[in-house]
């Protein structure tokens, strides 16, 4: 599987558009892909408490990586 990371959480980012295009190209070639979009990170991940225990929503990202 190919993990593609959209490395910004800005709305309407060009990075996300490029990542989506790359994902489409790989899928057309028959490759399995997973698009990880930083805009989908759980907000509680940025809390100081997340250093001790990661939020459950973060597991979807770490599983792919």
């Amino acid at each position: 599987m190919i993990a593609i990371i959209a490395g910004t959480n800005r709305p309407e980012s060009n990075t996300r558009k490029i990542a989506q295009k790359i994902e489409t190209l790989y899928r057309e070639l028959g490759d399995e892909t997973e698009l990880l979009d930083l805009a989908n990170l759980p907000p509680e991940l940025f809390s100081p408490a997340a250093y001790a225990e990661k939020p459950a929503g973060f597991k979807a990202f770490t599983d792919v990586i």
Side-chain angles (χ1 to χ4, degrees):
M1 182 192 30
I2 300 170
I4 302 166
I5 301 173
T8 183
N9 61 355
R10 283 187 332 229
E12 301 298 319
S13 77
N14 288 326
T15 300
R16 184 174 301 105
K17 292 173 188 172
I18 298 277
Q20 290 169 333
K21 179 64 176 173
I22 290 170
E23 180 183 38
T24 299
L25 293 172
Y26 273 118
R27 287 190 173 183
E28 288 173 356
L29 292 171
D31 292 313
E32 183 181 345
T33 64
E34 182 76 31
L35 178 59
L36 299 175
D37 191 339
L38 295 188
N40 296 328
L41 284 172
E44 60 272 13
L45 182 65
F46 301 101
S47 164
Y51 286 104
E53 185 176 340
K54 299 296 181 226
F58 188 56
K59 187 171 179 351
F61 285 84
T62 58
D63 285 352
V64 172
I65 299 298

